[in-house]
Amino acid sequence: MCIRDRVSTQSTGYQLSVDGFESQLATNHLGPFALTGRLIDLLESTPNARVVAVSSLAAWGGKKYDTIDFKGTQATYDRNQFYYDSKLANQLFMDELARRHPKIVSVGAHPGISNSNLHSGTGSGSMTWAMQDSQMGCLPILRAAVEEGIASSTYYAPRGAFGIFGFPSDSSYRPSLAKNSEYGAAYWVASEEATGVKY
């Protein structure tokens, strides 16, 4: 069994989910977090169950907060920062799931800079010349989902410079904050409190 936690959005303005959370954090992190939690018993009882967290190079822009806020305010809203934080959250989730539920193979991937509809309406359209096609962007995620004998916390990314483009390889090129177990544990607890799903 493989759960691919990939429902990604990039907002063009301040929006809240039906549960009252900033839309990018709700879609990119809190939703997949809650889904995995709802399936945790099935995952733990299924041999070789795997969860793939799909992150992004944008995780490098994620920040550490003393108080983790999933809502923000319209007055201070920075859509890019919330997107960066949501992609950092994916990597924190990957490692913390592996620590808390070692029966599950918890891995991650990012697609590099890929030409997909994620960028529609965000002002990135003029940069398509610098992007790899979406089929290449899918390969790290596909490899994370099907590679045999993969260990938890393995992270696949394009093998080109800075993980921007190319065929996938096992990558250690991740933000140090994404590997911070103390912040990962705090983010997990905050996510449990926000979603009401504890596991």
Side-chain angles (χ1 to χ4, degrees), residues 13-78:
Y14 184 65
Q15 300 174 46
L16 296 177
S17 69
V18 294
D19 298 311
F21 302 112
E22 192 277 333
S23 61
Q24 295 179 108
L25 276 167
T27 303
N28 298 345
H29 169 63
L30 292 173
F33 179 91
L35 173 64
T36 304
R38 298 285 188 197
L39 296 172
I40 199 67
D41 291 339
L42 178 60
L43 288 165
E44 291 209 305
S45 64
T46 302
N48 302 314
R50 182 179 305 193
V51 174
V52 181
V54 180
S55 185
S56 164
L57 285 169
W60 285 90
K63 294 181 179 178
K64 184 177 182 181
Y65 302 95
D66 293 332
T67 302
I68 297 165
D69 176 19
F70 295 120
K71 298 182 179 182
T73 65
Q74 187 159 8
T76 61
Y77 185 64
D78 180 341

Side-chain angles (χ1 to χ4, degrees), residues 55-61 87 91 110-113 155 162-164 173 175:
S55 185
S56 164
L57 285 169
W60 285 90
K87 296 288 97 183
Q91 294 188 38
H110 82 75
I113 300 180
Y155 188 68
F162 306 107
I164 294 173
Y173 186 65

Side-chain angles (χ1 to χ4, degrees), residues 118-187:
L118 177 65
H119 304 287
S120 299
T122 64
S124 301
S126 62
M127 293 295 294
T128 55
W129 63 269
M131 300 176 183
Q132 64 180 357
D133 63 44
S134 57
Q135 289 88 349
M136 285 293 291
C138 287
L139 293 181
I141 302 160
L142 182 61
R143 185 169 178 189
V146 303
E147 180 88 355
E148 293 185 6
I150 193 171
S152 280
S153 292
T154 299
Y155 188 68
Y156 284 114
R159 68 168 60 112
F162 306 107
I164 294 173
F165 57 84
F167 287 96
S169 66
D170 185 352
S171 175
S172 60
Y173 186 65
R174 294 174 56 202
S176 58
L177 182 56
K179 300 181 241 183
N180 184 318
S181 60
E182 182 179 344
Y183 193 51
Y187 216 93

